[in-house]
Amino acid sequence: MPEKPVGRHRVNWREWAPLTLLTLAVLVGAGLWFAGLRLATDLVWAAVTLVALVPAAWAVLRQLWHRQFGVDVIAVLALVGALVVREYLAGAVIAVMVATGRSLETYAQQRATRDLRALLERAPRRARRRTPGGGIEVVPLDQVAVGDRLVVGPGDVVPVDGTVEEAATLDESVVTGESQLVTRAAGEQLASGVVNAGAGFGLRARKNAAESTYAGIVRLAEEATARKAPMVRLADRYAAAFVPFTLLLAGLAWLLSGQFIRAVAVLVVATPCPLLLATPIAIVSGLSRVARRGVLVRDGGSLELLGRARTLLMDKTGTLTAGRPRAAETVVAPGGDRDELLRLAASVEQLSPHVLAAALVRQAREQGLPLAEPTEVTEEPGRGVTGRVDGRLVRVGQLAGEPPEWVHRVRERAELAGRSTVWVSDERKPLGVILLEDPVRPDARRTVRRLREAGLHRLIMVTGDRPRTAEQVAQAVGVDDVLAQCSPQEKVARVKEESGRAITVMVGDGVNDAPALAEAHVGVAMGATGATASADVADAVLTVDRLDRLADAVEIARYARRIAVQSATVGMGLAVVAMVVAAAGGLPPVAGAFLQEGIDVVVILNALRALGGGLRHRDVPPATRHLLDRYAGEHAGVRDVLARLRDAADLVATRPDAPECLPALRETHRRLTDEVLPHESGEEQQLYPALAGPLGSAEATSTMSRGHVEIRRLVDRIGAHLAQAGGGPLRPDQVPDLLASLYGLDAVLRLHLAQEEEDYFSLNPTDPPGSQGGQGRAAGAGGADEAR
């Protein structure tokens, strides 16, 4: 996929002013030299040398005061030596080189910020407190005491830790990472920082603001950020060996020859242009490239660390999953109609602000169901919505009363699948249930594979979600380890542990992830969907809702760092050769300065290679993207047929002699023949050949082609059984093989769709339909609890 241009940034001319002025001064001196004004020339070039020497010397003194030792000391000694031996042109050339390196380094780090402003702004400042007279007063948060009775309005952030006085519906993802909205009954305890997603409720304070959970999260982020030491420049690491060698060689040249000018010539040639110039250029090129991929890395040190990373920790909700609920399956009571159930539920939910209501309405509209305008709609927090649709009473939410037998089976099924349940009932009985899930991002598994290829050896998922759901997601994406039901403090502890072993990257999107992001060597925030707080403490921000861009950033960072190291190594190698020649008296300071500039040109041109290359995957041509969009859009229809297929299979398994069994089976087979098989045939003939280029060869789709053959075989087998049954009913001897074909087709088709979405559709820069990507972080469906 091609890199997209980003918006233009205003150039800060103050950062480039010293370099511009010094360059102009050197050119003025050259003009004076050609005019024969040698004294004026020397004065100008000496002034340039002095102007560069003063700040460079001050910087070296500050480094030495803090017991740091870098490559700048060579430049300072070379400038001093040039002044002493009156080689002013050599000094001026060195001055321009030093200024260029400083300007490039400043530009590379101009986005280096560690701002907690958004995290602090989100923290509540006031609270609604009940008065003894029955009224409500708004007081500063620091005036809330333990035992005070508070009121939390709709959409408010819970101000302090407390005990719920009445049922409340909450989004706790900011504290626990749990994506699903939860209902807290009277008497249950709440943590500060969670959001009221329902009606207002009463809260009795258990802690004051300073001791509450949200304040602790802010403190963790502040402390972790304060402990993160400034990054040591790549150039300074090489200086540990290069600087002593240079000083030793210069000293020997002076000692053995008795000519101080030889020592100056060695220092001039040794002036670390490859380190001061080539390294920042390669890193800045990498920063520019990752920005065009939708990843903003705040400074060159962070990009360099990203290129050296070996361990990656990832949050689940909103990072590996979409972060908001999706209707995965609709189960109806015996004799019920699936479309009618969804239509009734979505019609009632049209007036609800609940995030699960939006999921149901969206699902119904995607299926083209005609929604009716509900009447007499009421919403009871923690219970659900009730209203009339076409005169019929419909309840959506939790289930009341003694449920029939089929309900217990559905609950077990939902628990095994890790899905939430939204029940739909009338005034007499449950009509059915809609199972909700927080789907794994289609690009998650491919991204995990690419991250491994890029050099990340250990991939860990950390989440506040329950173990069963976390394990299912971990298996789906292929991570090495999973830590479930993890608090923000436990996330920070795990990041510390992993950081002690290797360079560690942490990826998250919520406020609860902010402390861990700040603690990691490189914190990456899902900025397009995540909380602003997590983005503000992170070292890199994904500005697009695509996890695969992280893999792009890692590959580019590794490539840019490799080019930087290569440029520095080659440049220093050439410099060492020149230093030996200068020490032997074969290279005077001025000639050495210009030779060093020639070396600079070589290493800079090499460093500019970081502007391209390094990405392992291939771009997808526009025509192929169009095909990916088309066939991805058809998957929603295939999944609808899959749901009917499962219903027909269940009917054959439980009531094969029922009058409605054979008609349901024939209708399912008709849709398989008319909708699914043409879809699979079109992919085989058009999409798969078009993917040969981006995937590397036609063999990349061969296993999927074998899946098409198996799908057709099973559909034909079902058709053969229908032909044998004639007018029906099914013969008892047909049932076992028919069931094997039906359930086998269900499994093959589901796996086939998932593989296509992960391996093929995720190549497209736009999210495939149904992925729910790019919609922001909302409460999703992370477990099998009743959602409302």
Side-chain angles (χ1 to χ4, degrees):
M1 59 193 75
E3 296 176 2
K4 297 181 179 179
V6 292
R8 293 183 178 179
H9 299 283
R10 292 187 63 183
V11 177
N12 187 352
W13 293 110
R14 291 183 180 179
E15 296 175 357
W16 298 95
L19 173 61
T20 304
L21 293 175
L22 288 177
T23 303
L24 289 175
V26 172
L27 294 176
V28 168
L32 293 172
W33 186 86
F34 281 112
L37 303 174
R38 301 303 170 85
L39 179 60
T41 299
D42 288 345
L43 289 175
V44 171
W45 285 342
V48 169
T49 304
L50 191 61
V51 167
L53 174 62
V54 172
W58 177 247
V60 168
L61 290 175
R62 282 188 302 174
Q63 286 181 341
L64 294 175
W65 179 260
H66 292 95
R67 298 180 180 179
Q68 296 174 356
F69 190 66
V71 293
D72 297 327
V73 67
I74 301 177
V76 169
L77 292 176
L79 290 169
V80 171
L83 289 174
V84 171
V85 299
R86 299 184 179 183
E87 293 285 352
Y88 302 124
L89 176 57
V93 172
I94 297 171
V96 171
M97 178 210 66
V98 171
T100 303
R102 291 296 183 195
S103 298
L104 285 170
E105 188 175 33
T106 301
Y107 174 72
Q109 297 180 345
Q110 65 182 345
R111 291 191 301 259
T113 57
R114 296 292 180 270
D115 186 16
L116 293 175
R117 183 180 61 257
L119 182 61
L120 299 173
E121 287 177 352
R122 190 187 179 282
R125 298 286 192 274
R126 295 178 175 79
R128 297 185 179 94
R129 185 170 62 187
R130 298 185 189 273
T131 62
I136 297 176
E137 61 178 350
V138 178
V139 298
L141 196 59
D142 57 7
Q143 293 185 16
V144 175
V146 176
D148 283 354
R149 298 182 63 211
L150 309 176
V151 175
V152 182
D156 284 357
V157 176
V158 174
V160 296
D161 293 0
T163 303
V164 180
E165 293 186 325
E166 55 207 270
T169 301
L170 301 157
D171 174 7
E172 298 187 348
S173 59
V174 292
V175 174
T176 67
E178 167 65 63
S179 60
Q180 179 188 346
L181 291 186
V182 297
T183 299
R184 299 296 181 189
E188 291 193 61
Q189 296 182 353
L190 284 187
S192 61
V194 304
V195 179
N196 180 12
F201 63 91
L203 180 77
R204 186 175 293 276
R206 288 190 302 112
K207 297 180 180 179
N208 59 32
E211 298 173 350
S212 291
T213 302
Y214 192 81
I217 291 177
V218 173
R219 282 196 300 274
L220 277 171
E222 288 175 328
E223 291 167 3
T225 302
R227 286 197 302 271
K228 183 181 288 186
M231 291 296 100
V232 178
R233 291 183 301 165
L234 180 64
D236 291 338
R237 287 201 292 272
Y238 286 100
F242 188 68
V243 172
F245 170 77
T246 300
L247 297 178
L248 179 62
L249 185 60
L252 287 174
W254 185 11
L255 180 65
L256 296 176
S257 68
Q259 300 178 27
F260 180 64
I261 195 169
R262 289 196 184 187
V264 174
V266 170
L267 293 174
V268 168
V269 175
T271 302
C273 308
L275 301 182
L276 293 178
L277 293 179
T279 300
I281 286 173
I283 297 300
V284 169
S285 299
L287 289 171
S288 175
R289 289 192 65 201
V290 296
R292 292 199 299 271
R293 304 298 298 174
V295 184
L296 296 180
V297 180
R298 294 187 186 274
D299 55 58
S302 297
L303 186 80
E304 182 198 338
L305 281 176
L306 190 61
R308 296 167 54 206
R310 291 293 180 268
T311 301
L312 175 67
L313 293 95
M314 295 173 284
D315 182 41
K316 177 186 77 71
T317 304
T319 302
L320 292 171
T321 64
R324 70 173 189 172
R326 180 182 73 180
E329 189 177 355
T330 303
V331 181
V332 294
D337 181 86
R338 184 191 311 275
D339 288 344
E340 179 63 11
L341 180 79
L342 181 58
R343 187 187 76 86
L344 292 173
S347 295
V348 172
E349 294 279 26
Q350 288 180 96
L351 302 182
S352 173
H354 202 288
V355 65
L356 300 180
L360 298 182
V361 173
R362 182 172 58 250
Q363 184 79 6
R365 286 176 175 163
E366 285 177 359
Q367 295 186 16
L369 301 179
L371 302 185
E373 182 177 349
T375 59
E376 302 177 22
V377 178
T378 59
E379 183 162 5
E380 184 180 353
R383 302 295 300 175
V385 178
T386 302
R388 290 191 177 275
V389 179
D390 300 330
R392 182 180 184 182
L393 183 67
V394 179
R395 294 190 180 95
V396 182
Q398 293 191 9
L399 196 59
E402 183 64 27
E405 179 62 27
W406 68 271
V407 169
H408 297 295
R409 293 195 300 269
V410 173
R411 281 177 170 165
E412 292 174 358
R413 183 166 155 186
E415 178 66 29
L416 289 173
R419 291 170 174 170
S420 300
T421 53
V422 176
W423 296 93
V424 184
S425 312
D426 60 13
E427 64 272 12
R428 294 180 292 108
K429 63 183 186 305
L431 303 175
V433 61
I434 299 169
L435 304 184
L436 300 171
E437 67 178 356
D438 184 9
V440 175
R441 290 174 178 266
D443 60 337
R445 190 173 183 86
R446 170 180 285 273
T447 300
V448 166
R449 289 200 303 267
R450 287 187 55 206
L451 289 167
R452 290 191 192 280
E453 293 172 357
L456 288 161
H457 304 315
R458 182 165 168 78
L459 303 176
I460 304 167
M461 187 178 79
V462 289
T463 177
D465 216 335
R466 65 203 70 196
R468 179 185 292 274
T469 304
E471 287 289 349
Q472 290 176 346
V473 174
Q475 291 173 4
V477 301
V479 296
D480 300 313
D481 194 10
V482 58
L483 184 63
Q485 290 184 328
C486 187
S487 68
Q489 292 86 347
E490 290 171 329
K491 286 186 180 181
V492 170
R494 186 58 180 266
V495 170
K496 283 183 181 178
E497 180 184 341
E498 297 295 337
S499 297
R501 300 171 183 165
I503 301 297
T504 299
V505 178
M506 171 70 194
V507 185
D509 79 324
V511 173
N512 63 304
D513 299 321
L517 293 178
E519 185 66 43
H521 288 105
V522 182
V524 181
M526 300 290 288
T529 61
T532 305
S534 62
D536 282 348
V537 300
D539 302 287
V541 180
L542 290 172
T543 61
V544 291
D545 189 26
R546 288 184 60 85
L547 185 61
D548 62 343
R549 299 304 173 85
L550 175 61
D552 291 349
V554 172
E555 290 180 355
I556 291 171
R558 290 201 186 285
Y559 184 71
R561 183 177 182 276
R562 185 163 66 249
I563 294 296
V565 171
Q566 185 184 87
S567 299
T569 303
V570 171
M572 286 190 298
L574 294 175
V576 167
V577 173
M579 288 161 59
V580 173
V581 175
L587 198 64
V590 173
F594 282 102
L595 176 61
Q596 183 60 272
E597 290 300 319
I599 296 175
D600 292 348
V601 171
V602 172
V603 296
I604 288 172
L605 290 176
N606 185 69
L608 289 174
R609 291 170 51 218
L611 287 171
L615 286 176
R616 296 170 182 262
H617 68 292
R618 296 172 172 84
D619 290 337
V620 180
T624 305
R625 281 196 226 141
H626 176 74
L627 289 174
L628 287 170
D629 278 338
R630 171 186 164 187
Y631 287 106
E634 292 179 5
H635 269 204
V638 175
R639 281 200 163 85
D640 184 57
V641 178
L642 263 175
R644 310 294 173 173
L645 174 66
R646 180 61 184 263
D647 287 345
D650 291 346
L651 193 57
V652 172
T654 56
R655 295 184 295 153
D657 54 352
E660 66 270 20
C661 179
L662 203 55
L665 197 56
R666 291 189 186 280
E667 174 61 18
T668 300
H669 182 262
R670 183 195 66 77
R671 293 193 64 184
L672 286 168
T673 303
D674 294 347
E675 299 177 32
V676 176
L677 292 185
H679 167 81
E680 305 299 331
S681 177
E683 287 183 331
E684 185 68 32
Q685 296 174 14
Q686 298 182 32
L687 180 61
Y688 287 9
L691 288 172
L695 295 177
S697 74
E699 291 300 314
T701 60
S702 60
T703 55
M704 300 299 289
S705 296
R706 181 64 181 85
H708 286 161
V709 173
E710 184 65 13
I711 290 167
R712 179 171 289 278
R713 186 188 71 82
L714 290 170
V715 172
D716 290 344
R717 194 171 187 86
I718 294 168
H721 278 290
L722 290 173
Q724 291 178 12
L730 293 169
R731 298 194 313 270
D733 63 293
Q734 287 184 276
V735 172
D737 188 68
L738 182 57
L739 281 177
S741 299
L742 289 168
Y743 286 127
L745 180 59
D746 178 80
V748 170
L749 257 178
R750 290 183 189 277
L751 177 61
H752 187 75
L753 295 180
Q755 288 175 322
E756 285 186 332
E757 289 168 359
E758 290 176 2
D759 294 336
Y760 303 157
F761 298 163
S762 61
L763 293 172
N764 198 12
T766 58
D767 288 312
S771 71
Q772 313 303 337
Q775 299 299 326
R777 179 188 176 104
D785 293 343
E786 294 187 359
R788 294 172 62 173

